[in-house]
PDB file of all heavy atoms in Angstrom:
ATOM      1  N   TRP A   7      35.244-118.554 -12.678  1.00  0.00           N
ATOM      2  CA  TRP A   7      35.192-119.761 -11.882  1.00  0.00           C
ATOM      3  C   TRP A   7      33.922-120.211 -11.320  1.00  0.00           C
ATOM      4  O   TRP A   7      33.522-121.375 -11.189  1.00  0.00           O
ATOM      5  CB  TRP A   7      36.327-119.560 -10.912  1.00  0.00           C
ATOM      6  CG  TRP A   7      37.590-119.539 -11.283  1.00  0.00           C
ATOM      7  CD1 TRP A   7      38.475-118.466 -11.430  1.00  0.00           C
ATOM      8  CD2 TRP A   7      38.338-120.692 -11.879  1.00  0.00           C
ATOM      9  NE1 TRP A   7      39.768-118.802 -12.092  1.00  0.00           N
ATOM     10  CE2 TRP A   7      39.581-120.213 -12.334  1.00  0.00           C
ATOM     11  CE3 TRP A   7      37.986-122.008 -12.371  1.00  0.00           C
ATOM     12  CZ2 TRP A   7      40.501-120.969 -12.960  1.00  0.00           C
ATOM     13  CZ3 TRP A   7      39.041-122.755 -12.935  1.00  0.00           C
ATOM     14  CH2 TRP A   7      40.181-122.238 -13.377  1.00  0.00           C
ATOM     15  N   ILE A   8      33.136-119.123 -10.773  1.00  0.00           N
ATOM     16  CA  ILE A   8      31.838-119.355 -10.379  1.00  0.00           C
ATOM     17  C   ILE A   8      30.843-119.950 -11.395  1.00  0.00           C
ATOM     18  O   ILE A   8      30.134-120.980 -11.167  1.00  0.00           O
ATOM     19  CB  ILE A   8      31.188-118.093  -9.622  1.00  0.00           C
ATOM     20  CG1 ILE A   8      32.052-117.618  -8.431  1.00  0.00           C
ATOM     21  CG2 ILE A   8      29.726-118.442  -9.229  1.00  0.00           C
ATOM     22  CD1 ILE A   8      31.568-116.534  -7.922  1.00  0.00           C
ATOM     23  N   LEU A   9      30.907-119.492 -12.480  1.00  0.00           N
ATOM     24  CA  LEU A   9      29.999-119.829 -13.532  1.00  0.00           C
ATOM     25  C   LEU A   9      30.424-121.170 -14.164  1.00  0.00           C
ATOM     26  O   LEU A   9      29.564-122.132 -14.296  1.00  0.00           O
ATOM     27  CB  LEU A   9      30.095-118.868 -14.750  1.00  0.00           C
ATOM     28  CG  LEU A   9      29.362-117.410 -14.411  1.00  0.00           C
ATOM     29  CD1 LEU A   9      29.530-116.508 -15.462  1.00  0.00           C
ATOM     30  CD2 LEU A   9      27.862-117.677 -14.290  1.00  0.00           C
ATOM     31  N   ILE A  10      31.630-121.426 -14.453  1.00  0.00           N
ATOM     32  CA  ILE A  10      32.141-122.788 -14.939  1.00  0.00           C
ATOM     33  C   ILE A  10      31.851-123.800 -14.013  1.00  0.00           C
ATOM     34  O   ILE A  10      31.368-124.935 -14.318  1.00  0.00           O
ATOM     35  CB  ILE A  10      33.529-122.661 -15.444  1.00  0.00           C
ATOM     36  CG1 ILE A  10      33.950-123.839 -16.353  1.00  0.00           C
ATOM     37  CG2 ILE A  10      34.409-122.776 -14.180  1.00  0.00           C
ATOM     38  CD1 ILE A  10      33.281-123.686 -17.705  1.00  0.00           C
ATOM     39  N   THR A  11      32.038-123.579 -12.730  1.00  0.00           N
ATOM     40  CA  THR A  11      31.803-124.598 -11.671  1.00  0.00           C
ATOM     41  C   THR A  11      30.282-124.901 -11.652  1.00  0.00           C
ATOM     42  O   THR A  11      29.890-126.084 -11.491  1.00  0.00           O
ATOM     43  CB  THR A  11      32.302-124.176 -10.298  1.00  0.00           C
ATOM     44  OG1 THR A  11      33.663-123.968 -10.439  1.00  0.00           O
ATOM     45  CG2 THR A  11      32.061-125.390  -9.319  1.00  0.00           C
ATOM     46  N   GLY A  12      29.448-123.919 -11.547  1.00  0.00           N
ATOM     47  CA  GLY A  12      28.033-124.081 -11.582  1.00  0.00           C
ATOM     48  C   GLY A  12      27.538-124.926 -12.672  1.00  0.00           C
ATOM     49  O   GLY A  12      26.679-125.715 -12.505  1.00  0.00           O
ATOM     50  N   PHE A  13      27.876-124.412 -13.856  1.00  0.00           N
ATOM     51  CA  PHE A  13      27.309-125.045 -15.054  1.00  0.00           C
ATOM     52  C   PHE A  13      27.783-126.541 -15.180  1.00  0.00           C
ATOM     53  O   PHE A  13      27.193-127.394 -15.660  1.00  0.00           O
ATOM     54  CB  PHE A  13      27.768-124.278 -16.295  1.00  0.00           C
ATOM     55  CG  PHE A  13      26.903-123.216 -16.518  1.00  0.00           C
ATOM     56  CD1 PHE A  13      27.216-121.847 -16.371  1.00  0.00           C
ATOM     57  CD2 PHE A  13      25.514-123.353 -17.035  1.00  0.00           C
ATOM     58  CE1 PHE A  13      26.507-120.786 -16.712  1.00  0.00           C
ATOM     59  CE2 PHE A  13      24.798-122.334 -17.248  1.00  0.00           C
ATOM     60  CZ  PHE A  13      25.179-120.901 -17.118  1.00  0.00           C
ATOM     61  N   LEU A  14      29.083-126.809 -14.726  1.00  0.00           N
ATOM     62  CA  LEU A  14      29.602-128.168 -14.785  1.00  0.00           C
ATOM     63  C   LEU A  14      28.875-128.946 -13.858  1.00  0.00           C
ATOM     64  O   LEU A  14      28.645-130.137 -14.043  1.00  0.00           O
ATOM     65  CB  LEU A  14      31.168-128.047 -14.493  1.00  0.00           C
ATOM     66  CG  LEU A  14      31.833-129.487 -14.535  1.00  0.00           C
ATOM     67  CD1 LEU A  14      31.719-130.094 -15.902  1.00  0.00           C
ATOM     68  CD2 LEU A  14      33.261-129.326 -14.150  1.00  0.00           C
ATOM     69  N   LEU A  15      28.442-128.439 -12.676  1.00  0.00           N
ATOM     70  CA  LEU A  15      27.755-129.204 -11.619  1.00  0.00           C
ATOM     71  C   LEU A  15      26.529-129.731 -12.111  1.00  0.00           C
ATOM     72  O   LEU A  15      26.183-130.794 -11.709  1.00  0.00           O
ATOM     73  CB  LEU A  15      27.659-128.360 -10.365  1.00  0.00           C
ATOM     74  CG  LEU A  15      26.889-128.961  -9.165  1.00  0.00           C
ATOM     75  CD1 LEU A  15      27.761-130.113  -8.670  1.00  0.00           C
ATOM     76  CD2 LEU A  15      26.774-127.877  -7.970  1.00  0.00           C
ATOM     77  N   VAL A  16      25.841-128.941 -12.963  1.00  0.00           N
ATOM     78  CA  VAL A  16      24.477-129.487 -13.232  1.00  0.00           C
ATOM     79  C   VAL A  16      24.534-130.353 -14.608  1.00  0.00           C
ATOM     80  O   VAL A  16      23.459-130.762 -15.034  1.00  0.00           O
ATOM     81  CB  VAL A  16      23.429-128.342 -13.698  1.00  0.00           C
ATOM     82  CG1 VAL A  16      23.296-127.456 -12.326  1.00  0.00           C
ATOM     83  CG2 VAL A  16      24.048-127.469 -14.870  1.00  0.00           C
ATOM     84  N   THR A  17      25.754-130.776 -15.005  1.00  0.00           N
ATOM     85  CA  THR A  17      25.811-131.726 -16.110  1.00  0.00           C
ATOM     86  C   THR A  17      25.900-133.094 -15.683  1.00  0.00           C
ATOM     87  O   THR A  17      24.951-133.640 -14.906  1.00  0.00           O
ATOM     88  CB  THR A  17      26.993-131.314 -17.039  1.00  0.00           C
ATOM     89  OG1 THR A  17      28.309-131.398 -16.274  1.00  0.00           O
ATOM     90  CG2 THR A  17      26.779-129.931 -17.626  1.00  0.00           C
ATOM     91  N   LYS A  18      27.018-133.767 -15.972  1.00  0.00           N
ATOM     92  CA  LYS A  18      27.043-135.226 -15.532  1.00  0.00           C
ATOM     93  C   LYS A  18      27.153-135.483 -14.116  1.00  0.00           C
ATOM     94  O   LYS A  18      26.542-136.426 -13.587  1.00  0.00           O
ATOM     95  CB  LYS A  18      28.477-135.847 -16.165  1.00  0.00           C
ATOM     96  CG  LYS A  18      28.512-137.301 -16.073  1.00  0.00           C
ATOM     97  CD  LYS A  18      29.698-137.912 -16.844  1.00  0.00           C
ATOM     98  CE  LYS A  18      29.842-139.478 -16.668  1.00  0.00           C
ATOM     99  NZ  LYS A  18      30.979-139.979 -17.483  1.00  0.00           N
ATOM    100  N   PRO A  19      27.790-134.695 -13.138  1.00  0.00           N
ATOM    101  CA  PRO A  19      27.726-134.908 -11.711  1.00  0.00           C
ATOM    102  C   PRO A  19      26.312-134.993 -11.234  1.00  0.00           C
ATOM    103  O   PRO A  19      26.031-135.831 -10.419  1.00  0.00           O
ATOM    104  CB  PRO A  19      28.579-133.702 -11.175  1.00  0.00           C
ATOM    105  CG  PRO A  19      29.535-133.353 -12.173  1.00  0.00           C
ATOM    106  CD  PRO A  19      28.686-133.587 -13.556  1.00  0.00           C
ATOM    107  N   SER A  20      25.456-134.081 -11.693  1.00  0.00           N
ATOM    108  CA  SER A  20      24.146-134.141 -11.184  1.00  0.00           C
ATOM    109  C   SER A  20      23.313-135.390 -11.685  1.00  0.00           C
ATOM    110  O   SER A  20      22.570-135.977 -10.961  1.00  0.00           O
ATOM    111  CB  SER A  20      23.412-132.879 -11.685  1.00  0.00           C
ATOM    112  OG  SER A  20      23.754-131.733 -11.056  1.00  0.00           O
ATOM    113  N   SER A  21      23.688-135.717 -12.990  1.00  0.00           N
ATOM    114  CA  SER A  21      23.101-137.020 -13.429  1.00  0.00           C
ATOM    115  C   SER A  21      23.468-138.217 -12.724  1.00  0.00           C
ATOM    116  O   SER A  21      22.495-138.992 -12.503  1.00  0.00           O
ATOM    117  CB  SER A  21      23.474-137.159 -15.019  1.00  0.00           C
ATOM    118  OG  SER A  21      23.114-136.072 -15.824  1.00  0.00           O
ATOM    119  N   ILE A  22      24.732-138.407 -12.330  1.00  0.00           N
ATOM    120  CA  ILE A  22      25.100-139.378 -11.399  1.00  0.00           C
ATOM    121  C   ILE A  22      24.463-139.346 -10.152  1.00  0.00           C
ATOM    122  O   ILE A  22      23.894-140.335  -9.605  1.00  0.00           O
ATOM    123  CB  ILE A  22      26.593-139.484 -11.392  1.00  0.00           C
ATOM    124  CG1 ILE A  22      27.319-139.568 -12.786  1.00  0.00           C
ATOM    125  CG2 ILE A  22      27.076-140.385 -10.383  1.00  0.00           C
ATOM    126  CD1 ILE A  22      28.766-139.519 -12.743  1.00  0.00           C
ATOM    127  N   PHE A  23      24.335-138.233  -9.647  1.00  0.00           N
ATOM    128  CA  PHE A  23      23.680-137.958  -8.227  1.00  0.00           C
ATOM    129  C   PHE A  23      22.259-138.488  -8.351  1.00  0.00           C
ATOM    130  O   PHE A  23      21.751-139.211  -7.441  1.00  0.00           O
ATOM    131  CB  PHE A  23      23.755-136.628  -7.790  1.00  0.00           C
ATOM    132  CG  PHE A  23      23.142-136.279  -6.456  1.00  0.00           C
ATOM    133  CD1 PHE A  23      23.736-136.541  -5.262  1.00  0.00           C
ATOM    134  CD2 PHE A  23      21.858-135.686  -6.491  1.00  0.00           C
ATOM    135  CE1 PHE A  23      22.975-136.338  -4.067  1.00  0.00           C
ATOM    136  CE2 PHE A  23      21.165-135.391  -5.296  1.00  0.00           C
ATOM    137  CZ  PHE A  23      21.794-135.564  -4.107  1.00  0.00           C
ATOM    138  N   ILE A  24      21.622-137.904  -9.334  1.00  0.00           N
ATOM    139  CA  ILE A  24      20.057-138.217  -9.479  1.00  0.00           C
ATOM    140  C   ILE A  24      19.881-139.780  -9.604  1.00  0.00           C
ATOM    141  O   ILE A  24      19.014-140.374  -9.058  1.00  0.00           O
ATOM    142  CB  ILE A  24      19.494-137.508 -10.574  1.00  0.00           C
ATOM    143  CG1 ILE A  24      19.517-135.968 -10.338  1.00  0.00           C
ATOM    144  CG2 ILE A  24      18.027-137.998 -10.966  1.00  0.00           C
ATOM    145  CD1 ILE A  24      19.091-135.148 -11.488  1.00  0.00           C
ATOM    146  N   LYS A  25      20.720-140.319 -10.440  1.00  0.00           N
ATOM    147  CA  LYS A  25      20.540-141.719 -10.766  1.00  0.00           C
ATOM    148  C   LYS A  25      20.782-142.663  -9.488  1.00  0.00           C
ATOM    149  O   LYS A  25      20.137-143.621  -9.279  1.00  0.00           O
ATOM    150  CB  LYS A  25      21.670-142.303 -11.734  1.00  0.00           C
ATOM    151  CG  LYS A  25      21.495-143.573 -12.141  1.00  0.00           C
ATOM    152  CD  LYS A  25      22.540-143.998 -13.365  1.00  0.00           C
ATOM    153  CE  LYS A  25      22.391-145.455 -13.727  1.00  0.00           C
ATOM    154  NZ  LYS A  25      23.507-145.813 -14.861  1.00  0.00           N
ATOM    155  N   THR A  26      21.774-142.115  -8.776  1.00  0.00           N
ATOM    156  CA  THR A  26      22.069-142.803  -7.434  1.00  0.00           C
ATOM    157  C   THR A  26      20.900-142.758  -6.461  1.00  0.00           C
ATOM    158  O   THR A  26      20.468-143.797  -5.892  1.00  0.00           O
ATOM    159  CB  THR A  26      23.419-142.357  -6.820  1.00  0.00           C
ATOM    160  OG1 THR A  26      24.448-142.409  -7.772  1.00  0.00           O
ATOM    161  CG2 THR A  26      23.745-143.133  -5.545  1.00  0.00           C
ATOM    162  N   ILE A  27      20.333-141.552  -6.343  1.00  0.00           N
ATOM    163  CA  ILE A  27      19.322-141.360  -5.434  1.00  0.00           C
ATOM    164  C   ILE A  27      18.021-142.125  -5.738  1.00  0.00           C
ATOM    165  O   ILE A  27      17.420-142.737  -4.838  1.00  0.00           O
ATOM    166  CB  ILE A  27      18.887-139.826  -5.338  1.00  0.00           C
ATOM    167  CG1 ILE A  27      20.113-139.099  -4.803  1.00  0.00           C
ATOM    168  CG2 ILE A  27      17.664-139.658  -4.577  1.00  0.00           C
ATOM    169  CD1 ILE A  27      20.403-139.438  -3.383  1.00  0.00           C
ATOM    170  N   ILE A  28      17.720-142.174  -7.059  1.00  0.00           N
ATOM    171  CA  ILE A  28      16.437-142.773  -7.426  1.00  0.00           C
ATOM    172  C   ILE A  28      16.554-144.400  -7.859  1.00  0.00           C
ATOM    173  O   ILE A  28      15.666-145.001  -8.205  1.00  0.00           O
ATOM    174  CB  ILE A  28      15.682-142.060  -8.488  1.00  0.00           C
ATOM    175  CG1 ILE A  28      16.517-142.159  -9.891  1.00  0.00           C
ATOM    176  CG2 ILE A  28      15.401-140.537  -8.140  1.00  0.00           C
ATOM    177  CD1 ILE A  28      15.943-141.399 -11.089  1.00  0.00           C
ATOM    178  N   SER A  29      17.820-144.720  -7.706  1.00  0.00           N
ATOM    179  CA  SER A  29      18.009-146.138  -8.009  1.00  0.00           C
ATOM    180  C   SER A  29      17.235-147.144  -7.263  1.00  0.00           C
ATOM    181  O   SER A  29      17.045-148.310  -7.680  1.00  0.00           O
ATOM    182  CB  SER A  29      19.503-146.506  -7.975  1.00  0.00           C
ATOM    183  OG  SER A  29      19.966-146.371  -6.735  1.00  0.00           O
ATOM    184  N   ILE A  30      16.897-146.799  -5.989  1.00  0.00           N
ATOM    185  CA  ILE A  30      16.153-147.731  -5.164  1.00  0.00           C
ATOM    186  C   ILE A  30      14.739-147.974  -5.732  1.00  0.00           C
ATOM    187  O   ILE A  30      14.172-148.814  -5.240  1.00  0.00           O
ATOM    188  CB  ILE A  30      16.154-147.329  -3.644  1.00  0.00           C
ATOM    189  CG1 ILE A  30      15.564-145.746  -3.704  1.00  0.00           C
ATOM    190  CG2 ILE A  30      17.491-147.153  -3.079  1.00  0.00           C
ATOM    191  CD1 ILE A  30      15.343-145.287  -2.273  1.00  0.00           C
ATOM    192  N   TRP A  31      14.367-147.022  -6.556  1.00  0.00           N
ATOM    193  CA  TRP A  31      12.952-147.159  -7.152  1.00  0.00           C
ATOM    194  C   TRP A  31      13.048-147.586  -8.564  1.00  0.00           C
ATOM    195  O   TRP A  31      11.967-147.753  -9.149  1.00  0.00           O
ATOM    196  CB  TRP A  31      12.202-145.975  -6.963  1.00  0.00           C
ATOM    197  CG  TRP A  31      11.985-145.409  -5.574  1.00  0.00           C
ATOM    198  CD1 TRP A  31      11.375-146.026  -4.464  1.00  0.00           C
ATOM    199  CD2 TRP A  31      12.448-144.181  -5.070  1.00  0.00           C
ATOM    200  NE1 TRP A  31      11.290-145.297  -3.445  1.00  0.00           N
ATOM    201  CE2 TRP A  31      12.068-144.163  -3.685  1.00  0.00           C
ATOM    202  CE3 TRP A  31      13.204-143.088  -5.607  1.00  0.00           C
ATOM    203  CZ2 TRP A  31      12.341-143.032  -2.816  1.00  0.00           C
ATOM    204  CZ3 TRP A  31      13.435-142.035  -4.738  1.00  0.00           C
ATOM    205  CH2 TRP A  31      13.115-142.018  -3.403  1.00  0.00           C
ATOM    206  N   SER A  32      14.255-147.745  -9.036  1.00  0.00           N
ATOM    207  CA  SER A  32      14.299-147.944 -10.517  1.00  0.00           C
ATOM    208  C   SER A  32      13.715-149.096 -11.047  1.00  0.00           C
ATOM    209  O   SER A  32      14.079-150.304 -10.628  1.00  0.00           O
ATOM    210  CB  SER A  32      15.803-147.931 -10.965  1.00  0.00           C
ATOM    211  OG  SER A  32      15.965-148.183 -12.321  1.00  0.00           O
ATOM    212  N   PRO A  33      12.629-149.034 -11.845  1.00  0.00           N
ATOM    213  CA  PRO A  33      11.945-150.268 -12.481  1.00  0.00           C
ATOM    214  C   PRO A  33      12.637-150.534 -13.773  1.00  0.00           C
ATOM    215  O   PRO A  33      12.281-150.420 -14.761  1.00  0.00           O
ATOM    216  CB  PRO A  33      10.619-149.692 -12.827  1.00  0.00           C
ATOM    217  CG  PRO A  33      10.833-148.188 -13.162  1.00  0.00           C
ATOM    218  CD  PRO A  33      11.994-147.745 -12.163  1.00  0.00           C
ATOM    219  N   GLU A  34      13.869-151.226 -13.618  1.00  0.00           N
ATOM    220  CA  GLU A  34      14.831-151.446 -14.697  1.00  0.00           C
ATOM    221  C   GLU A  34      14.208-152.413 -15.777  1.00  0.00           C
ATOM    222  O   GLU A  34      14.498-152.357 -16.886  1.00  0.00           O
ATOM    223  CB  GLU A  34      16.198-151.882 -14.208  1.00  0.00           C
ATOM    224  CG  GLU A  34      16.863-150.838 -13.408  1.00  0.00           C
ATOM    225  CD  GLU A  34      18.276-151.359 -12.982  1.00  0.00           C
ATOM    226  OE1 GLU A  34      18.518-152.544 -13.162  1.00  0.00           O
ATOM    227  OE2 GLU A  34      19.146-150.631 -12.270  1.00  0.00           O
ATOM    228  N   ASN A  35      13.538-153.465 -15.212  1.00  0.00           N
ATOM    229  CA  ASN A  35      12.908-154.442 -16.126  1.00  0.00           C
ATOM    230  C   ASN A  35      11.840-153.858 -16.952  1.00  0.00           C
ATOM    231  O   ASN A  35      11.856-154.083 -18.193  1.00  0.00           O
ATOM    232  CB  ASN A  35      12.288-155.607 -15.230  1.00  0.00           C
ATOM    233  CG  ASN A  35      13.263-156.346 -14.447  1.00  0.00           C
ATOM    234  OD1 ASN A  35      14.421-156.515 -14.803  1.00  0.00           O
ATOM    235  ND2 ASN A  35      12.921-157.036 -13.427  1.00  0.00           N
ATOM    236  N   GLN A  36      10.984-152.907 -16.399  1.00  0.00           N
ATOM    237  CA  GLN A  36      10.046-152.260 -17.300  1.00  0.00           C
ATOM    238  C   GLN A  36      10.582-151.451 -18.241  1.00  0.00           C
ATOM    239  O   GLN A  36      10.221-151.257 -19.414  1.00  0.00           O
ATOM    240  CB  GLN A  36       9.057-151.547 -16.241  1.00  0.00           C
ATOM    241  CG  GLN A  36       8.237-152.392 -15.482  1.00  0.00           C
ATOM    242  CD  GLN A  36       8.772-152.576 -14.092  1.00  0.00           C
ATOM    243  OE1 GLN A  36       9.990-152.633 -13.961  1.00  0.00           O
ATOM    244  NE2 GLN A  36       7.928-152.577 -13.059  1.00  0.00           N
TER     245      GLN A  36
END
């Protein structure tokens, strides 16, 4: 349970978290 939760955490949930955090600087047009 510890391993599966940890590995799952660094997949899509982390991607969404990172995208949300850096969206204020996102140079989408470029």
Side-chain angles (χ1 to χ4, degrees):
W7 290 111
I8 293 173
L9 289 171
I10 196 67
T11 302
F13 279 108
L14 182 63
L15 180 59
V16 297
T17 57
K18 190 172 181 179
S20 291
S21 296
I22 296 174
F23 176 78
I24 295 169
K25 184 178 180 181
T26 302
I27 293 298
I28 65 177
S29 61
I30 58 174
W31 301 299
S32 179
E34 295 181 357
N35 293 333
Q36 291 93 325

